[in-house]
Amino acid sequence: MEPELRHLRYFVAVAEELHFGRAAVRLRMAQPPLSQQIRQLEAMIGTPLFVRTSRSVALTPAGEAYLDRCRRVLATVADDVHEAGRIGRGEQGRFDIGFVSSAIQLGLAGPIRRFRERHPAVHLRLHEAYTAHIVDRLLNGEVDLGVVRDADDHDDLVGTTFATESFVAVLPADHPHAGDLAIDAAVLRDDPFVFFPRVAGERAYQRNLRPCLEAGYTPKIVQDATSWATVAHLVAAGLGVTIAPASISAVVPASVGVVPLTGTEAATEVQILRRRQDDRITSTGFEAAGRAS
Amino acid sequence: MEPELRHLRYFVAVAEELHFGRAAVRLRMAQPPLSQQIRQLEAMIGTPLFVRTSRSVALTPAGEAYLDRCRRVLATVADDVHEAGRIGRGEQGRFDIGFVSSAIQLGLAGPIRRFRERHPAVHLRLHEAYTAHIVDRLLNGEVDLGVVRDADDHDDLVGTTFATESFVAVLPADHPHAGDLAIDAAVLRDDPFVFFPRVAGERAYQRNLRPCLEAGYTPKIVQDATSWATVAHLVAAGLGVTIAPASISAVVPASVGVVPLTGTEAATEVQILRRRQDDRITSTGFEAAGRAS
DNA sequence: GGTCATCCGTATCCTTGAGATATGGAACCC
DNA sequence: GGGTTCCATATCTCAAGGATACGGATGACC
């Protein structure tokens, strides 16, 4: 037979009181069953823990040592319960955020800093990726929060808007409109386009195309690239033009022209996404931190 | 309601099988009461330990952490029973020493032998681990003595110096300085470094960096490894160089160069640590054995 | 796509054993 | 020697742990 924590709790009580009657009172039970449980424990261990005369109770050396161990075990068990609870509530443990790179340019660092202050016991890990990948990883639990661009709606996810941006044209230095203050997307009708890959996120792709579609044409995409920074450099190298969220200006080389678009209401949105059932304060709280920025 | 060891045993079984049916077989009981006990445990903790679909069972992060704790508790409870039994039979219990591997090279075997001679009835158990882990285990009572490197100060622990070492450079055979009699850390400024993981012990990490910092640079760490022996072999394989306590020379492959460092007073210290309130002769006496060596 | 097998949960019943009550016996006090 | 204290023994009760039967959901297979 194996001991249960009950045996340890009873043993500690008797060892501390050195009196079965008082220990029973403290444990809110009668004295005989307490004696019985202690006997069971002694039988399991194979040695007496107390020397009893009918007038006094004292610990044996084995009992002395075992008392110390039992206190530790009981404290550990209680601690472990609390720790697991904290992890479950998100107050401790790991927290993984997937984000699109442009979120940094839009001020994601602030909410991240506040998160670290608010939850110092949480090990925060940041993963840069595409919107579509982040949504997948959010759904299968690889990340706990996604900061994404124009994600498709999903029943299991809820989100809030983190930032909204308009689109700008990015043109090589020698492009006729590179110095303009603003242009209409229509003027780029015949230009070759560099673009980001469609698999990065369907909705973001569609929204990014909108200025062109509204101007009545589908851009001729000659090349795609894996990040806006790369796109910008390919534009600089003369492969073509592009239309991108305004925050691209933070990563373009000096030699390219960044020109606001007129005649379109098209906009793109960076959102903070979490799983609908995920009610940990680390997840729900991040949105508030985002809004506060 | 408080958990019982039964709950922990059941939880571990399900966590290991990831299957309620098989776990129930292993526990020689029916599956429904097992599910019920797990639910009870989750209610007590306040957070789910498993995510169940009707096809699969998986641990939550909280469950993951709790599994580890439960295994420890169950092992401890079993050990404690045996220890108390031994004491009852006239043996003197167990004594657990946590030590960093390099302590062996520095002559820990001597004090250990003397300890055994002095306390033949004590069951001595040795646990190799990192400094940081040993300190944790010392504090929570899992070990009674720690032999650690450059531990952070702690109010509840007292320690004595066991050995002091200087640092040496460890270089691959084809490194230009591999045959030198001594070098300054500055010459390794541009070399890639292999290092031991920071989590092993913050203070040891800082001290180990000192020769480089004094030479005015932060080493470019390209790889870390879980033991100095591994580090040495990675150096031999040409991944980079390292700076390590002098005792690493006992575990380096023949093909690498071990070169003393000049121009630095940086040193590292191996300490014997015990709990401040622990005044058992087995604990306090070990220090004397250390000094005698 | 419909049937089947798998697997976890729910509902109900049963049985074990923890705990209560009553009592006994040894030690100490006066 | 009677009274008191205190732990052990004996018997009983009932809560709770465990078993059995069944249902619903999901993935597999033909």
Side-chain angles (χ1 to χ4, degrees), chain B residues 41 93 110 155 158-159 169 171 186 232 252 275 292:
Chain B
L41 181 61
D155 285 345
V158 289
L171 312 173
V252 296
R275 288 184 293 276

Side-chain angles (χ1 to χ4, degrees), chain B residues 20-21 31-32 35 52 55:
Chain B
F20 280 76
Q31 169 261 316
S35 293
R52 314 133 155 95
R55 295 306 287 179

Side-chain angles (χ1 to χ4, degrees), chain B residues 86 91-96 116 119-125:
Chain B
R86 276 198 298 272
E91 298 164 39
Q92 281 174 15
R94 65 172 189 236
F95 194 76
D96 292 80
R116 301 196 79 113
H119 308 287
V122 174
H123 179 57
L124 185 62
R125 304 196 300 185

Side-chain angles (χ1 to χ4, degrees), chain B residues 79-101:
Chain B
D79 277 358
D80 292 349
V81 167
H82 291 133
E83 185 197 19
R86 276 198 298 272
I87 295 175
R89 277 179 260 113
E91 298 164 39
Q92 281 174 15
R94 65 172 189 236
F95 194 76
D96 292 80
I97 299 180
F99 64 98
V100 292
S101 61

Side-chain angles (χ1 to χ4, degrees), chain A:
Chain A
M1 186 176 164
E2 307 241 327
E4 284 294 330
L5 289 182
R6 179 184 59 253
H7 295 109
L8 309 200
R9 286 189 273 261
Y10 293 179
F11 168 65
V12 170
V14 176
E16 282 175 357
E17 300 285 345
L18 290 178
H19 191 292
F20 281 76
R22 281 198 298 276
V25 170
R26 188 168 122 187
L27 294 166
R28 301 169 174 234
M29 63 188 290
Q31 167 263 315
L34 176 57
S35 292
Q36 172 189 317
Q37 293 291 316
I38 297 293
R39 287 202 159 279
Q40 274 188 19
L41 181 60
E42 289 174 321
M44 293 184 274
I45 291 175
T47 199
L49 296 168
F50 296 105
V51 276
R52 312 134 156 95
T53 70
S54 64
R55 296 306 290 176
S56 74
V57 176
L59 282 165
T60 60
E64 203 94 48
Y66 196 59
L67 173 60
D68 182 56
R69 308 296 181 193
C70 287
R71 285 197 178 115
R72 277 188 215 291
V73 166
L74 293 173
T76 304
V77 168
D79 281 356
D80 292 350
V81 167
H82 291 133
E83 187 196 62
R86 281 196 299 275
I87 295 175
R89 287 189 300 277
E91 297 166 16
Q92 192 177 324
R94 282 198 296 267
F95 194 76
D96 292 78
I97 298 181
F99 65 98
V100 291
S101 61
S102 53
I104 297 290
Q105 272 92 51
L106 293 166
L108 185 63
I112 286 175
R113 187 171 36 72
R114 275 192 291 282
F115 182 98
R116 302 192 80 111
E117 287 164 8
R118 211 171 294 183
H119 307 289
V122 175
H123 180 59
L124 186 62
R125 301 195 302 186
L126 300 171
H127 310 271
E128 187 183 328
Y130 293 147
T131 291
H133 295 170
I134 292 168
V135 168
D136 286 347
R137 291 183 189 178
L138 193 53
L139 288 169
N140 70 24
E142 285 180 62
V143 301
D144 301 293
L145 206 82
V147 183
V148 301
R149 187 180 289 280
D150 300 322
D152 296 318
D153 293 327
H154 194 290
D155 285 345
D156 296 336
L157 301 179
V158 290
T160 56
T161 300
F162 176 72
T164 304
E165 300 184 83
S166 54
F167 289 103
V168 296
V170 182
L171 312 174
D174 59 355
H175 192 278
H177 295 280
D180 290 11
L181 287 178
I183 59 171
D184 193 286
V187 307
L188 304 176
R189 173 184 301 274
D190 298 319
D191 281 284
F193 268 68
V194 185
F195 226 58
F196 75 99
R198 189 169 192 160
V199 293
E202 182 62 23
R203 192 168 183 177
Y205 187 83
Q206 294 302 340
R207 287 205 179 163
N208 211 132
L209 282 179
R210 232 186 99 190
C212 301
L213 299 178
E214 285 177 348
Y217 68 97
T218 302
K220 184 175 43 163
I221 296 168
V222 296
Q223 177 68 52
D224 62 12
T226 52
S227 78
W228 281 121
T230 309
V231 168
H233 281 87
L234 294 176
V235 168
L239 269 76
V241 303
T242 196
I243 285 176
S247 57
I248 195 176
S249 56
V251 296
V252 295
S255 62
V256 305
V258 176
V259 184
L261 290 178
T262 58
T264 177
E265 295 295 317
T268 168
E269 197 180 323
V270 173
Q271 305 146 317
I272 297 177
L273 247 51
R274 65 176 167 87
R275 288 183 291 275
R276 187 178 295 278
Q277 336 80 294
D278 179 5
D279 55 358
R280 294 174 296 170
I281 56 169
T282 32
S283 301
T284 57
F286 199 91
E287 297 174 11
R291 274 195 291 275
S293 74

Side-chain angles (χ1 to χ4, degrees), chain B residues 21 41 53 63 66 70 79 85 108 134 144 173 182 184 188 193 202 209-210 222 231 267 279 283:
Chain B
L41 181 61
T53 69
Y66 197 59
C70 287
D79 277 358
L108 186 63
I134 293 169
D144 301 292
D184 193 286
L188 302 175
F193 269 68
E202 181 62 21
L209 281 179
R210 234 187 95 189
V222 295
V231 169
D279 54 0
S283 301

